[in-house]
Amino acid sequence: MLFLSTRGKADLVCSAHAITRGLAGDGGLFVPQKFMALTLDEIVALHGLSYKERAAKILAQFLTDYSEEELLDAAGKAYAEEKFGKDPAPVFKVNENTGTLELWHGPTSAFKDMALQILPLLLTRAIAKTGEQHKIVILTATSGDTGKAALEGFADVEGTEIIVFYPESGVSEIQKRQMVTQTGNNVHVFAVKGNFDDAQTGVKRIFGDEALKEELAARGCVFSSANSINWGRLVPQIVYYFSAYSDAIAAGRIKAGEEINFAVPTGNFGDILAGYYAKLMGLPVHKFICASNSNNVLTDFINTGIYDKRREFKKTISPSMDILVSSNLERLLYCVTGDAEKVDGWMQQLNTEGVYNVGEKVHKKITADFFGAWVDEQETKETIRRVYNDYNYLLDPHTAVAWRACEKYRLVSSDDRYAVVVSTASPYKFSADVYAALKGDEDGAQSFDALHKLHEATGVPVPPKMLQLEEMPVLHKDVIEAGQMAEAVKNSI
Ligand SMILES: *Cc1c(COP(=O)(O)O)cnc(C)c1O
């Protein structure tokens, strides 16, 4: 299987190259030449497999320059019981027609672990395959969850350095604590003054800085990315859509072949795109409900076909979705149009004018598979409280946004079929906001205090790693201006 760029001006590459490079040379994103379909029998049969076997089977469809043993070995290590518990991606039955796909049982308690535990293993093997002589420097801008998951995945991985930039006041206390306490001899963590888009823009600028790249190459290093623009980040996320579906059949929730809906809390459009790819591979899905918070640029896009990032950036209690430029939408546009020139044009327009319009035909194709809805702060908090009171089930703010978006979809469509709400973080990662939502806001408990109070109030078990955080020493204290990021990179390696 070969990979091509969404902007059509880069050479075709094999999967190992797509993973080591991260971004195509023309600034586009790598996409597979085609999608191999699984038969319904194969999908049903997934239920008899362990998660690592399910993962190896799906990965093998795309990563054709890896052997089956390599993929099974990587998946076995990534999704080991010590890291994820017995089931890495269980579906919890919340009510008769809704389940939550809990993707936060990994080391950092957010769904990013599903990809970032296996990406370093795929990447180190890719380095060996492509004969890459350089040390890989992973640069990551994070709104909170990617940073920690990338640190955890890449810490002490030979042949790599990992540098993470997070917005100083844009992440939760617990998220910050997770990052600044990270151990490992190849890890570097910086707080950047500004918001996530400032940090992300800084990283993109570094990726485009030819002089810096040359200086790095002279020191034997090359940049790569752990953000979801990397194909190696995306492909492991396809697995759990199949996994959830086969589990739903086995649990008697649906008949084999019956279409279901997925509601996905969306930021960079990576997670939901992986679901769409699963559909292209034969998974019976009716609609993907694309859930946004007050940064509702995707809702507007799905409703109108116009992507307009010229709006205020809003800080919310679901920070991992605080995003105005959803990078992976480019892959969807390529998939729907098959026209790299058009995609290239739209992306140029987004850069220069801040807006593009895909036109009626493309818009119609997108709304055939996607429904967009957004949820404000008040509704998010109410949803956390209501779902807890009604079902004794505790949602984190991101999952609450998706839950509410799913309800909104059901209201306007009258489509009440079985839906899976993708649950992307442990509620304890956002203890202060979740606790405040449950208690009606007047209690201002912060950080670990809120974590303990949330546990006392609900009895929901706290992930053990999160409890340990309180005791761990702070190792990374640097706070820098966005303009100092390139300097920070140079000093780190
Ligand atoms: C990253 C993240 C999201 C958004 O996922 P995308 O792939 O960026 O759309 C949603 N929820 C949580 C908790 C996240 O960490």
Side-chain angles (χ1 to χ4, degrees):
M1 171 88 63
L2 293 175
F3 291 77
L4 41 87
S5 164
T6 47
R7 303 200 189 168
K9 288 180 246 162
D11 294 336
L12 293 182
V13 298
C14 63
S15 53
H17 262 125
I19 290 172
T20 49
R21 289 184 197 172
L23 204 65
D26 58 1
L29 306 181
F30 286 118
V31 285
Q33 256 180 328
K34 59 174 185 274
F35 289 88
M36 311 295 285
L38 269 67
T39 64
L40 187 57
D41 284 346
E42 284 177 302
I43 295 171
V44 173
L46 288 174
H47 182 69
L49 305 181
S50 63
Y51 192 80
K52 71 169 184 187
E53 291 165 330
R54 296 177 191 184
K57 176 147 178 97
I58 303 296
L59 294 177
Q61 310 293 319
F62 298 100
L63 308 185
T64 47
D65 38 357
Y66 293 68
S67 71
E68 241 171 77
E69 296 74 50
E70 281 178 316
L71 293 176
L72 201 55
D73 178 62
K77 289 186 174 128
Y79 303 116
E81 196 174 331
E82 311 89 81
K83 290 182 168 172
F84 280 89
K86 285 221 176 318
D87 186 353
V91 179
F92 186 87
K93 179 179 173 179
V94 182
N95 64 28
E96 271 319 306
N97 62 348
T98 325
T100 48
L101 173 56
E102 295 181 345
L103 300 176
W104 39 264
H105 293 283
T108 78
S109 305
F111 96 101
K112 304 287 195 295
D113 288 329
M114 300 304 293
L116 282 165
Q117 281 298 315
I118 194 164
L119 177 64
L121 303 168
L122 298 175
L123 184 68
T124 42
R125 280 176 176 81
I127 294 171
K129 285 177 197 301
T130 56
E132 179 67 65
Q133 300 293 332
H134 290 83
K135 182 176 240 188
I136 306 266
V137 179
I138 304 288
L139 276 191
T140 299
T142 183
S143 54
D145 290 333
T146 298
K148 175 58 182 180
L151 288 165
E152 192 69 31
F154 280 98
D156 294 324
V157 171
E158 218 171 295
T160 71
E161 293 284 328
I162 162 104
I163 306 177
V164 168
F165 297 100
Y166 71 91
E168 187 190 12
S169 55
V171 302
S172 82
E173 267 308 302
I174 306 264
Q175 286 177 314
K176 184 172 180 172
R177 188 91 196 163
Q178 282 184 315
M179 290 189 274
V180 297
T181 56
Q182 179 68 46
T183 57
N185 57 28
N186 63 340
V187 306
H188 314 272
V189 181
F190 298 96
V192 178
K193 292 182 188 161
N195 63 35
F196 170 65
D197 275 348
D198 297 324
Q200 166 133 297
T201 305
V203 164
K204 280 186 183 156
R205 198 170 300 136
I206 295 173
F207 273 118
D209 184 339
E210 291 305 326
L212 182 59
K213 270 193 229 167
E214 272 173 37
E215 197 180 326
L216 238 75
R219 295 202 231 164
C221 297
V222 60
F223 287 132
S224 187
S225 166
N227 284 101
S228 56
I229 51 175
N230 192 319
W231 180 254
R233 241 308 277 280
L234 214 51
V235 66
Q237 299 183 355
I238 300 173
V239 179
Y240 47 74
Y241 287 92
F242 280 100
S243 176
Y245 187 86
S246 73
D247 285 347
I249 302 172
R253 309 299 301 273
I254 53 165
K255 292 194 290 291
E258 193 178 328
E259 288 187 342
I260 69 171
N261 293 327
F262 282 99
V264 188
T266 298
N268 229 354
F269 210 76
D271 197 3
I272 196 167
L273 180 75
Y276 177 73
Y277 283 163
K279 180 170 181 175
L280 295 183
M281 294 168 72
L283 193 69
V285 181
H286 178 61
K287 275 277 193 301
F288 291 98
I289 297 145
C290 177
S292 299
N293 62 25
S294 314
N295 296 291
N296 54 1
V297 59
L298 283 169
T299 313
D300 289 348
F301 173 69
I302 292 170
N303 288 338
T304 62
I306 299 168
Y307 196 99
D308 190 347
K309 70 165 185 182
R310 300 168 302 177
R311 60 183 79 202
E312 192 195 338
F313 179 94
K314 302 211 172 108
K315 253 183 81 168
T316 74
I317 59 168
S318 46
S320 298
M321 297 155 75
D322 289 350
I323 223 169
L324 294 181
V325 178
S326 298
S327 311
N328 276 296
L329 191 63
E330 179 169 349
R331 284 189 164 111
L332 176 71
L333 294 176
Y334 181 81
C335 220
V336 170
T337 60
D339 186 339
E341 213 171 304
K342 252 193 190 147
V343 174
D344 194 20
W346 290 327
M347 294 305 122
Q348 302 296 346
Q349 270 181 352
L350 184 64
N351 255 339
T352 53
E353 293 154 47
V355 57
Y356 62 88
N357 183 345
V358 298
E360 204 178 319
K361 219 172 104 200
V362 175
H363 178 227
K364 220 169 148 193
K365 278 194 187 166
I366 290 171
T367 52
D369 292 306
F370 293 90
F371 177 87
W374 71 281
V375 177
D376 70 20
E377 296 288 273
Q378 201 49 41
E379 273 182 299
T380 306
K381 291 178 201 163
E382 278 164 17
T383 304
I384 292 173
R385 186 162 61 238
R386 181 167 48 83
V387 170
Y388 184 72
N389 289 339
D390 289 355
Y391 306 112
N392 199 28
Y393 184 78
L394 196 58
L395 300 168
D396 94 285
H398 304 77
T399 311
V401 167
W403 182 280
R404 183 67 193 137
C406 186
E407 289 176 337
K408 289 185 175 191
Y409 168 74
R410 283 173 169 164
L411 278 174
V412 301
S413 67
S414 306
D415 171 14
D416 277 334
R417 79 182 71 213
Y418 180 64
V420 172
V421 174
V422 178
S423 176
T424 48
S426 156
Y428 284 108
K429 234 180 154 166
F430 305 94
S431 292
D433 289 318
V434 172
Y435 186 68
L438 278 190
K439 293 291 166 192
D441 264 348
E442 70 283 337
D443 192 310
Q446 286 299 313
S447 188
F448 288 97
D449 189 25
L451 185 147
H452 295 302
K453 285 186 160 177
L454 186 59
H455 177 63
E456 277 160 33
T458 64
V460 174
V462 185
K465 279 218 163 183
M466 218 173 280
L467 279 178
Q468 292 158 15
L469 278 179
E470 210 172 347
E471 313 296 327
M472 286 170 70
V474 173
L475 303 173
H476 309 279
K477 293 179 182 156
D478 292 331
V479 182
I480 61 172
E481 303 283 343
Q484 298 173 306
M485 288 169 63
E487 204 54 41
V489 169
K490 281 194 236 171
N491 294 338
S492 297
I493 46 189

